């Protein structure tokens, strides 16, 4: 008996072929993930066409439209009819051609994919045509017929309403993010094609975002696109390996340059690609020479036999594979290492121009310099650990809070700024430091050798990066408009030259509670660290807004007593007056505002008691004798009527409280004694610590200035413009002038 097939089986007919329209839309989604992919494909088509002038214009980060115009060979009228159909290309005719492919495109999918997710218009003219020809395309097909149009030789492609038929993808794209990706792609191609002019501009703006000229070379393009800071430190390397059949032309920064951002640009056979193994290997060569989390700028042009390269392994041709990868990568690493070692002599002093109006010797206050001459002769760098192990007891100027304190243990950590070359130990007193990277001649070489205690760069990061949010429903203070405006004001008022000076400077020595000596290149500068510390504390209050660690009192302080101390000292009330209305008014106001002060500034006030304070800077407790002034200033110095003004004035009051002690305050500590004891613990998110007693002496203040305030100024400070013009930074000597004096002797 023969079996018959049951044609009504419900398990059959479940697999069906997709329609060509669905297939094409899926393929388009793989090739064109975002506007930057569309621009990359069209830019490569222009380069394949031999263009040496390409202009890209975008509107709304390419989502509204992308227009690219070139002066290439153009597209003939017959080719325009099928140019947007899938798998139509002039680059190859059979699969074997992939082995020797040297052009960008070869699949014939770029324009087809764009036409399936955008409305495309192409206008092109070849050398032999009398006029240009224009066509409109949708879903890979020409709409209507081609039309004659005015135009010059070359092609203009306009893609409008990108992802109009993919609303989910369109809504998921951010205009800001997409434009950054567009700029990144165009910048890298503009860098590689130094003999071509590539321009990127936004719709409606006359000034281009990116522009390179036809006559520029690679070094000039690096300076134009990435800045002179990188271009002046560039090393160039050419290497050819006959056996492995490859040659490399690379540009990378020397060991003087370091960036927090990894900038590795790789072109293989003129194609922009990623290769994680090669990138990791090259970056590793620089690790012994650069600071932790510091990276070089690297631009690599790699040419190899096309038969050894597989470019058809990724939908967007982003990744490639090639033969003999391990040998080639090892060889490239070794050549770069040799080049770096050969350039070690470049790690010497290079004069840097500074704003003479800001830091010239003419701005130095001669009377201040004269007053400090005797102190300059006695400048020294104390042993930082000596003042922390067994500090003597000191007292505060306020009798009501002249108590002994216990502070956090200072953690021994590695300095965030390390010398690139170990300091030479042979006769340092006979040498002169001529580079910020060379530690020869530093003052602490002449005192007892001790490992410096400072704090790591991780300590400077916002607390939100160190602990998890405990309550997901809690208000996100970072979204407050007033706070965002205050942070914007800080960055907008930054003196960029002074920020660079601080970043590249070296600490020389402490003079007094106000001034410290700093070296920048060949200049010796006098910095008002007291004023700078106030601005630094203000910025950290704004930065850590609502996310402070706490300095907790074991026994809360009585606010009325503190306020009475301040008012009686200022002569507003008598010392015997305990029920004055001024005291009650200030105490009541602080209690009424306690919720805001606690939530945003970690100032704990409850039932007339001060329980804790915010820890604004790591390893630093404020001068607690200022607490009476601080409490009164929270009432009289704060604008409670406007949110932004309130946040700003409270932050200013807090920063004035936390700034470094002044000379007259240190003198008071040295002449007074203490009679009672008050315990203080410093708490963080995981543990509480206690250690030696804080002493507001010159030695303690000197250590805080060098190992807390100054390192923070180098890595996490936006110096305001008024610091550069208000006498806070003064040049007192420079090497060229000293040489002139020596020549006369």
């Amino acid at each position: 008996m023969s079996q018959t097939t049951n044609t009504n089986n419900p398990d059959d007919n479940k697999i069906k072929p997709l329609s060509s329209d669905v297939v094409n839309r899926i393929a388009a989604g793989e090739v064109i993930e975002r506007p930057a992919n569309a621009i990359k494909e069209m830019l490569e088509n222009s380069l394949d066409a031999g263009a040496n002038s390409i202009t890209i214009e975008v509107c709304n980060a390419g989502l509204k439209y992308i227009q690219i115009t070139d002066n290439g060979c153009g597209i003939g009228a017959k080719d325009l009819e099928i140019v947007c159909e899938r798998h139509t290309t002039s680059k190859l005719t059979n699969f074997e051609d992939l082995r020797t492919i040297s052009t960008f495109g070869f699949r014939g999918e770029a324009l087809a994919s764009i036409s399936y997710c955008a409305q495309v218009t192409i206008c092109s003219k070849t050398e032999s045509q009398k006029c240009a020809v224009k066509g409109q395309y949708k879903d890979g097909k020409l709409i209507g017929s081609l039309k004659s149009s005015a135009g010059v030789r070359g092609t203009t492609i306009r893609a409008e309403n990108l992802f109009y038929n993919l609303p989910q993808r369109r809504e998921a794209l951010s205009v800001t993010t997409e434009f950054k990706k567009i700029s990144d792609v165009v910048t890298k191609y503009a860098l590689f094609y130094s003999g071509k002019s590539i321009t990127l501009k936004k719709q409606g703006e006359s000034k281009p975002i990116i522009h390179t000229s036809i006559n520029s070379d690679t070094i000039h393009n690096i300076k134009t696109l990435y800045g002179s800071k990188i271009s002046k430190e560039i090393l160039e390397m050419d290497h050819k390996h006959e056996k492995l059949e490859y040659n490399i032309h690379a540009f990378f920064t020397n060991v003087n340059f370091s960036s927090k951002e990894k900038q590795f640009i790789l072109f293989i056979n003129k194609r922009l690609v990623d290769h994680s193994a090669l990138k990791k290997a090259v970056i590793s060569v620089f690790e012994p020479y650069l600071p932790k989390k510091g990276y070089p700028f690297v631009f690599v042009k790699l040419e190899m036999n096309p038969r050894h390269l597989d470019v058809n392994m990724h939908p967007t041709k982003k990744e490639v594979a090639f033969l003999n990868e391990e040998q080639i990568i090892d060889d490239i690493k070794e050549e770069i290492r040799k080049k770096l070692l050969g350039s070690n002599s470049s790690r010497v002093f290079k004069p840097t121009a500074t704003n003479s109006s800001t830091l010239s010797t003419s701005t130095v206050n001669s009377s201040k310099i004269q007053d400090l001459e005797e102190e300059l002769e006695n400048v020294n760098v104390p042993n930082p650990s000596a003042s922390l192990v067994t500090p003597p007891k000191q007292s505060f100027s306020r009798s009501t809070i002249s108590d002994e304190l216990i502070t956090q243990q200072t953690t021994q950590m590695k300095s965030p700024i390390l010398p690139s070359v170990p300091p030479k130990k042979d006769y340092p007193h006979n040498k002169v430091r001529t580079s910020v990277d060379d530690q020869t001649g530093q003052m602490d070489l002449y005192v007892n050798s001790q490992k410096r205690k400072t704090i790591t760069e991780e300590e400077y990061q916002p607390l939100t990066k160190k602990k998890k949010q405990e309550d997901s429903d809690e208000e996100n203070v970072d979204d407050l408009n007033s706070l965002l405006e205050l942070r914007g004001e800080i960055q907008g008022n930054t003196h960029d030259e002074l920020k660079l000076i601080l970043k590249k400077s070296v600490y020389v020595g402490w003079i007094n509670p106000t001034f410290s000596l700093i070296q920048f290149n060949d200049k010796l500068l006098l910095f008002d660290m007291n004023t700078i510390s106030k601005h630094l504390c203000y910025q950290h209050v704004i930065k850590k807004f609502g996310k402070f660690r706490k300095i907790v009192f074991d026994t809360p302080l009585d606010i009325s007593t503190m306020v009475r101390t301040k008012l009686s000292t200022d002569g507003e009330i008598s010392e015997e007056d305990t029920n004055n209305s001024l005291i009650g008014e200030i105490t009541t106001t602080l209690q009424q505002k306690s919720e805001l002060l606690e939530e945003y500034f970690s100032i704990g006030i409850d039932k007339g008691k001060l329980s804790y304070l915010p820890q604004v800077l790591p390893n630093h407790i404020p001068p607690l004798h200022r607490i009476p002034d601080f409490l009164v200033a929270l009432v009289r110095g704060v604008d409670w009527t406007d949110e932004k003004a309130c946040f700003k004035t409270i932050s200013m009051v807090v920063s004035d409280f936390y700034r470094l002690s002044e000379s007259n305050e240190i003198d008071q500590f040295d002449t007074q004694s203490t009679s009672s004891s008050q315990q203080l613990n410093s708490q963080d998110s995981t543990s509480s610590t206690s250690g030696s007693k804080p002493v507001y002496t010159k030695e303690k203040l000197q250590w805080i200035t060098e190992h807390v305030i100054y390192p923070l100024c180098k890595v996490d400070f936006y110096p305001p413009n008024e610091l550069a013009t208000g006498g806070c930074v003064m040049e007192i000597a420079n090497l060229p002038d000293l040489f002139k004096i020596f020549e006369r002797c």
Side-chain angles (χ1 to χ4, degrees):
M1 178 183 290
S2 63
Q3 286 185 326
T4 60
T5 303
N6 185 2
T7 58
N8 296 323
N9 191 333
D11 294 330
D12 291 338
N13 300 322
K14 287 186 177 182
I15 299 177
K16 299 178 180 179
L18 294 174
S19 65
S20 59
D21 181 65
V22 174
V23 171
N24 291 331
R25 289 184 187 277
I26 293 174
E30 292 178 346
V31 176
I32 309 299
E33 297 176 352
R34 54 188 356 122
N37 297 123
I39 288 178
K40 177 179 178 292
E41 297 291 347
M42 291 190 286
L43 179 58
E44 290 177 346
N45 282 344
S46 296
L47 294 169
D48 279 340
N52 61 10
S53 178
I54 304 170
T55 300
I56 305 163
E57 182 177 315
V58 298
C59 181
N60 199 29
L63 294 174
K64 188 172 183 180
Y65 75 77
I66 301 168
Q67 180 170 296
I68 181 167
T69 303
D70 66 57
N71 63 349
C73 62
I75 305 173
K78 287 290 186 182
D79 292 340
L80 275 177
E81 294 179 356
I82 61 171
V83 70
C84 284
E85 293 183 10
R86 288 195 70 200
H87 306 311
T88 54
T89 179
S90 61
K91 314 298 171 55
L92 77 166
T93 56
N94 56 64
F95 186 78
E96 292 300 319
D97 293 340
L98 274 175
R99 294 192 174 186
T100 57
I101 194 74
S102 60
T103 58
F104 292 109
F106 53 82
R107 296 177 183 152
E109 286 187 323
L111 288 176
S113 297
I114 295 173
S115 72
Y116 273 95
C117 57
Q119 297 155 353
V120 178
T121 302
I122 302 177
C123 182
S124 187
K125 180 181 181 300
T126 62
E127 190 68 38
S128 61
Q129 289 176 329
K130 295 182 179 180
C131 63
V133 181
K134 180 189 290 187
Q136 293 182 325
Y137 304 84
K138 182 179 180 182
D139 295 339
K141 300 294 183 181
L142 176 66
I143 302 175
S145 59
L146 298 174
K147 299 179 181 179
S148 299
S149 176
V152 296
R153 196 194 80 161
T155 303
T156 297
I157 302 177
R158 185 182 179 96
E160 299 180 84
N161 298 322
L162 192 64
F163 303 129
Y164 73 95
N165 52 0
L166 296 170
Q168 296 89 346
R169 179 175 297 187
R170 187 181 178 94
E171 291 174 4
L173 298 176
S174 164
V175 172
T176 302
T177 302
E178 295 312 311
F179 188 76
K180 287 181 180 179
K181 292 187 178 295
I182 290 172
S183 298
D184 182 62
V185 169
V186 177
T187 298
K188 290 175 179 178
Y189 275 94
L191 173 62
F192 182 84
Y193 287 93
S194 54
K196 302 179 186 290
S197 174
I198 297 179
T199 303
L200 171 66
K201 61 182 182 179
K202 291 183 178 180
Q203 184 267 339
E205 295 185 8
S206 57
K207 185 178 180 180
I209 306 299
I210 297 169
H211 176 71
T212 56
S213 60
I214 293 178
N215 299 323
S216 62
D217 57 16
T218 301
I219 298 294
H220 184 270
N221 278 356
I222 292 175
K223 181 178 181 180
T224 301
L225 300 170
Y226 293 93
S228 58
K229 183 179 178 181
I230 291 178
S231 64
K232 69 182 181 181
E233 305 290 354
I234 284 292
L235 299 175
E236 188 173 355
M237 184 192 79
D238 273 309
H239 173 64
K240 185 175 183 179
H241 199 292
E242 298 289 349
K243 184 177 179 180
L244 295 176
E245 296 185 67
Y246 87 91
N247 62 77
I248 181 174
H249 190 192
F251 300 82
F252 47 86
T253 49
N254 59 31
V255 292
N256 290 324
F257 176 84
S258 175
S259 171
K260 292 183 179 180
E261 179 183 358
K262 291 182 181 179
Q263 299 185 82
F264 183 84
I265 305 164
L266 174 63
F267 280 78
I268 300 182
N269 286 10
K270 302 180 181 180
R271 188 185 303 278
L272 177 63
V273 296
D274 289 336
H275 198 286
S276 57
L278 178 58
K279 177 180 179 179
K280 183 178 180 180
V282 171
I283 296 297
S284 69
V285 177
F286 293 81
E287 288 179 355
Y289 308 101
L290 301 182
K292 186 178 180 181
K293 295 185 179 179
Y295 303 101
F297 170 89
V298 181
F299 170 40
V300 175
K301 301 178 181 180
L302 191 60
E303 295 287 337
M304 60 179 60
N305 189 333
R307 295 182 178 274
H308 297 173
L309 183 68
D310 183 5
V311 298
N312 191 31
M313 59 179 293
H314 193 275
T316 62
K317 293 167 280 192
K318 179 181 178 181
E319 299 174 359
V320 297
F322 50 86
L323 295 179
N324 305 314
E325 281 191 8
E326 291 186 5
Q327 296 95 317
I328 291 175
I329 290 174
D330 289 342
D331 189 56
I332 291 174
K333 281 179 59 178
E334 186 60 29
E335 291 301 318
I336 293 178
R337 183 179 289 107
K338 290 179 183 177
K339 188 69 176 181
L340 281 177
L341 292 174
S343 68
N344 228 10
S345 59
S346 69
R347 305 192 76 179
V348 296
F349 158 73
K350 294 183 179 180
T352 302
T354 57
N355 189 339
S356 59
S357 64
T358 302
L359 299 172
S360 66
T361 52
S362 63
T363 64
V364 179
N365 188 323
S366 59
S367 63
K368 288 186 178 181
I369 298 303
Q370 186 175 2
D371 294 339
L372 293 169
E373 283 181 345
E374 294 183 1
E375 293 180 89
L376 285 170
E377 295 177 358
N378 299 319
V379 172
N380 58 29
V381 180
N383 182 348
S385 61
S387 61
L388 295 177
V389 178
T390 56
K393 296 183 179 180
Q394 298 290 338
S395 62
F396 302 103
S397 61
R398 306 292 189 191
S399 60
T400 55
I401 48 171
S402 57
D403 303 320
E404 295 179 1
L405 306 172
I406 295 179
T407 185
Q408 292 177 305
Q409 293 177 339
T410 303
T411 308
Q412 294 188 10
M413 300 182 184
K414 191 181 289 186
S415 171
I417 307 298
L418 295 177
S420 301
V421 180
K424 299 180 181 179
K425 296 182 180 179
D426 52 326
Y427 307 108
H429 58 280
N430 291 329
K431 302 179 180 181
V432 177
R433 181 170 70 253
T434 59
S435 170
V436 297
D437 294 321
D438 184 8
Q439 299 297 299
T440 302
Q442 265 198 305
M443 299 184 69
D444 47 350
L445 291 176
Y446 305 100
V447 298
N448 293 335
S449 176
Q450 290 282 345
K451 185 176 181 180
R452 295 184 134 192
K453 295 182 180 180
T454 123
I455 49 181
T456 59
E457 189 168 350
E458 285 76 7
E459 280 287 337
Y460 310 142
Q461 302 303 323
L463 202 58
T464 50
K465 295 183 179 179
K466 295 185 176 181
K467 68 174 185 178
K468 297 180 180 179
Q469 188 79 14
E470 295 179 358
D471 185 0
S472 60
D473 297 329
E474 187 176 339
E475 176 189 12
N476 185 3
V477 295
D478 292 328
D479 294 334
L480 293 173
N481 291 332
S482 54
L483 181 61
L484 295 174
E485 291 174 8
L486 290 174
R487 290 173 176 172
E489 289 175 2
I490 291 173
Q491 296 189 7
N493 189 38
T494 301
H495 193 280
D496 294 329
E497 181 187 359
L498 185 53
K499 184 176 181 181
L500 176 64
I501 289 174
L502 283 167
K503 182 179 180 181
K504 297 293 185 180
S505 65
V506 174
Y507 190 89
V508 177
W510 187 86
I511 298 176
N512 61 28
T514 301
F515 292 101
S516 292
L517 285 175
I518 307 294
Q519 179 189 340
F520 173 68
N521 287 340
D522 62 340
K523 302 181 187 299
L524 187 62
L525 307 174
L526 196 65
F527 273 60
D528 183 348
M529 297 304 292
N530 186 281
T531 302
I532 289 174
S533 70
K534 182 176 179 179
H535 288 280
L536 176 68
C537 290
Y538 172 78
Q539 293 183 14
H540 273 254
V541 173
I542 298 298
K543 176 181 178 180
K544 299 177 181 178
F545 192 91
K547 305 181 184 71
F548 294 94
R549 294 172 177 169
K550 297 176 182 178
I551 301 173
V552 182
F553 293 92
D554 282 349
T555 304
L557 301 178
D558 182 75
I559 293 177
S560 297
T561 305
M562 303 294 104
V563 173
R564 184 174 64 253
T565 301
K566 166 64 177 173
L567 297 181
S568 62
T569 302
D570 293 346
E572 295 187 48
I573 63 172
S574 64
E575 293 185 5
E576 296 77 19
D577 194 347
T578 58
N579 296 316
N580 190 282
S581 59
L582 284 176
I583 299 176
E585 180 182 342
I586 293 174
T587 304
T588 302
T589 302
L590 288 173
Q591 187 62 51
Q592 291 173 347
K593 307 298 183 183
S594 61
E595 184 177 353
L596 181 146
L597 293 172
E598 195 282 332
E599 180 178 1
Y600 294 136
F601 297 94
S602 294
I603 300 173
I605 296 176
D606 185 38
K607 298 179 181 180
K609 303 288 185 180
L610 178 64
S611 303
Y612 50 84
L613 295 169
Q615 185 176 22
V616 176
L617 302 179
N619 294 324
H620 175 51
I621 291 178
L624 299 183
H625 66 278
R626 294 177 181 164
I627 288 180
D629 306 76
F630 171 63
L631 293 174
V632 173
L634 280 178
V635 176
R636 294 180 172 178
V638 174
D639 183 355
W640 297 99
T641 60
D642 176 75
E643 181 182 83
K644 179 181 175 182
C646 176
F647 291 164
K648 183 174 183 178
T649 50
I650 293 177
S651 300
M652 292 174 67
V653 170
V654 172
S655 63
D656 189 62
F657 176 35
Y658 279 74
R659 64 182 168 83
L660 292 174
S661 298
E662 298 178 351
S663 297
N664 62 325
E665 295 175 300
I666 296 296
D667 294 337
Q668 291 175 11
F669 302 147
D670 291 338
T671 59
Q672 295 187 13
S673 61
T674 180
S675 60
S676 60
S677 177
Q678 176 69 45
Q679 293 292 312
L680 175 71
N681 285 337
S682 179
Q683 297 183 342
D684 59 21
S685 59
T686 58
S687 64
S688 62
T689 60
S690 62
S692 58
K693 302 171 184 177
V695 183
Y696 295 97
T697 62
K698 291 181 180 179
E699 290 75 21
K700 176 69 176 180
L701 186 59
Q702 182 176 353
W703 190 92
I704 293 173
T705 302
E706 180 177 357
H707 297 280
V708 177
I709 303 299
Y710 176 71
L712 283 169
C713 288
K714 289 175 70 73
V715 301
D716 197 14
F717 182 50
Y718 296 87
N721 289 311
E722 53 263 32
L723 286 183
T725 57
C728 293
V729 182
M730 298 179 286
E731 179 185 316
I732 61 174
N734 64 75
L735 205 57
D737 288 346
L738 291 176
F739 284 151
K740 292 178 183 178
I741 296 173
F742 295 154
E743 289 172 357
R744 298 192 192 104
C745 298

